[in-house]
Amino acid sequence: MKFERKHKKLGYLAKYLYYCVAKRNILQKRMSFGQMNSDRVIYVIKPDYQDGVEGLLSLINKQILYMAYAKKKGYCPYIDWKNYKTQYYDGKNNAWEYFFKQPSNLTENEVYKSKKVYLSGWSFKTVNPEGLFEADVFTDKRIREKSSEMLCEHIHFSDEVLSIVNKEATSLNISECIGVYIRGTDYVKLKPSGEYVQPSVDQMKCKIHEFENKYNAPIFLVTEDGDIFDNLKKEFGDIIRIVSFDTFIRNYEGKDVLSKSDVLEKDKKLRGQKYLAKMILLAKCKYFVGSMTQGSKFSYILNNGNYSDEYVFDLGLYP
């Protein structure tokens, strides 16, 4: 992961060649399931890695790129998170539709009776030659704007998610808040190779104090880590605001990634919707202080330069 992020072209080619030999299910495939839709090509968009580990907003970035690819090629896209595994897989429902609307009016039944079908996946040429949705969005205005344009064109939130967001935005007065985002738990204890180094709580405190003294604004805090929440709540008191449904992970042992440990909310749909709603709310804040993760990239891209002031910790990658 670290090599791939530092050497994008060479890293992509190396992984593609490896997948050609060892993991061919990750490659793009041409299929035929029947005789329907013989006059058009259906592009089934699925997660590349069906390991149930990849986070929601990490998954989203690649699905958006596949949607843009399908549009460029003139294919009709359908996103399938029912027959392909994610953290939100239950074997019965298309989990994509918990969070987002389908990019076309195709149904699952129609898709899997169609004559000309591609299953999304890696090909010799990357679908992301410009490096969109990567860490450069924090420093390169052009990359951020192109990423935001692509996201807003292809992503339409489900009515259930928007209902959660709208209710919480009103009660939080979110447009006046300093949005603060910090990851803990598995990011800090496991230090996954190639992922972004997270700031310490003390580093975050110093930066929050700087913003709070400057703007005298409430703090909308997003973290999954109960110890971090307790620490910041003790420091800043009642100016800390959280969503009404927030819960925190405590006593995490650090033996495995969160998605494989027994500490997450059991209702997968609700868990994902709540998380997505919090990240959308972060994009609606007036100011932003945060660490680099796949989630914060999503919020930052969605906001697209509209924060009045911001600070993002860039501390490199875990080795």
Side-chain angles (χ1 to χ4, degrees):
M1 177 68 82
K2 186 174 182 180
F3 178 84
E4 185 184 357
R5 282 188 167 144
K6 283 192 170 185
H7 309 280
K8 291 183 175 64
K9 291 183 179 179
L10 187 58
Y12 179 88
L13 180 59
K15 286 186 78 171
Y16 171 71
L17 293 174
Y18 168 71
Y19 293 152
C20 285
V21 175
K23 293 188 176 182
R24 297 190 62 83
N25 62 311
I26 295 176
L27 303 180
Q28 179 176 280
K29 294 180 178 67
R30 176 74 181 267
M31 306 289 289
S32 182
F33 298 106
Q35 297 302 313
M36 290 185 68
N37 295 308
S38 59
D39 59 338
R40 59 177 173 168
V41 177
I42 311 300
Y43 196 68
V44 175
I45 298 171
K46 58 181 179 58
D48 284 340
Y49 313 105
Q50 289 119 60
D51 54 11
V53 172
E54 198 169 3
L56 177 62
L57 298 180
S58 177
L59 284 164
I60 294 311
N61 295 341
K62 194 62 178 289
Q63 307 298 269
I64 294 171
L65 289 163
Y66 283 138
M67 282 189 269
Y69 171 81
K71 180 179 179 180
K72 182 178 178 181
K73 299 290 286 187
Y75 301 159
C76 191
Y78 176 83
I79 300 179
D80 188 350
W81 284 13
K82 175 183 175 181
N83 299 294
Y84 300 94
K85 191 175 181 181
T86 67
Q87 279 193 39
Y88 309 97
Y89 173 86
D90 63 9
K92 299 177 182 178
N93 300 289
N94 190 336
W96 174 265
E97 293 162 11
Y98 295 162
F99 315 115
F100 311 101
K101 296 178 180 178
Q102 283 286 352
S104 70
N105 60 1
L106 287 168
T107 65
E108 179 190 10
N109 182 61
E110 184 180 2
V111 165
Y112 290 105
K113 290 182 179 178
S114 292
K115 184 174 183 178
K116 302 174 184 177
V117 179
Y118 278 106
L119 304 182
S120 71
W122 285 51
S123 56
F124 183 73
K125 289 186 178 180
T126 176
V127 294
N128 190 21
E130 295 182 271
L132 305 182
F133 302 102
E134 295 298 337
D136 288 347
V137 300
F138 293 112
T139 56
D140 188 319
K141 180 180 178 182
R142 185 186 69 84
I143 293 295
R144 187 202 71 225
E145 288 180 341
K146 290 206 70 172
S147 299
S148 180
E149 179 183 2
M150 189 177 288
L151 185 153
C152 292
E153 178 181 356
H154 295 289
I155 287 293
H156 303 283
F157 301 113
S158 71
D159 292 340
E160 288 181 336
V161 168
L162 289 178
S163 178
I164 296 169
V165 170
N166 292 336
K167 180 180 177 181
E168 296 295 327
T170 299
S171 62
L172 291 164
N173 193 19
I174 198 68
S175 61
E176 297 302 317
C177 288
I178 303 167
V180 172
Y181 176 74
I182 179 171
R183 275 293 310 268
T185 56
D186 53 350
Y187 251 65
V188 173
K189 290 193 175 183
L190 299 179
K191 296 178 172 57
S193 177
E195 296 294 349
Y196 306 101
V197 175
Q198 299 300 290
S200 68
V201 177
D202 286 340
Q203 286 175 305
M204 186 62 78
K205 282 181 184 178
C206 289
K207 189 55 65 173
I208 296 171
H209 272 302
E210 179 184 318
F211 271 64
E212 202 274 326
N213 291 335
K214 192 173 181 180
Y215 301 114
N216 190 30
I219 298 162
F220 172 57
L221 175 63
V222 175
T223 183
E224 85 292 357
D225 192 308
D227 292 336
I228 291 175
F229 169 75
D230 293 342
N231 202 322
L232 293 179
K233 181 68 174 177
K234 183 178 180 180
E235 181 80 11
F236 296 100
D238 291 339
I239 66 170
I240 292 280
R241 298 179 182 179
I242 59 174
V243 290
S244 63
F245 50 77
D246 225 348
T247 57
F248 302 98
I249 296 168
R250 303 180 188 277
N251 304 315
Y252 169 67
E253 295 181 354
K255 294 180 179 179
D256 209 340
V257 294
L258 286 183
S259 56
K260 289 190 174 182
S261 56
D262 192 32
V263 296
L264 296 177
E265 184 174 342
K266 302 305 180 188
D267 188 324
K268 296 177 180 181
K269 175 183 177 180
L270 198 55
R271 183 215 313 165
Q273 288 181 335
K274 288 175 177 179
Y275 171 60
L276 179 58
K278 288 192 287 186
M279 302 312 290
I280 296 170
L281 287 165
L282 274 178
K284 293 179 177 290
C285 289
K286 190 170 185 177
Y287 314 98
F288 180 72
V289 177
S291 59
M292 284 189 180
T293 67
Q294 298 294 343
S296 62
K297 280 191 288 188
F298 172 86
S299 298
Y300 196 82
I301 292 166
L302 188 61
N303 176 271
N304 195 23
N306 289 314
Y307 293 122
S308 295
D309 197 0
E310 64 189 56
Y311 185 85
V312 179
F313 286 89
D314 184 359
L315 305 173
L317 302 172
Y318 290 117

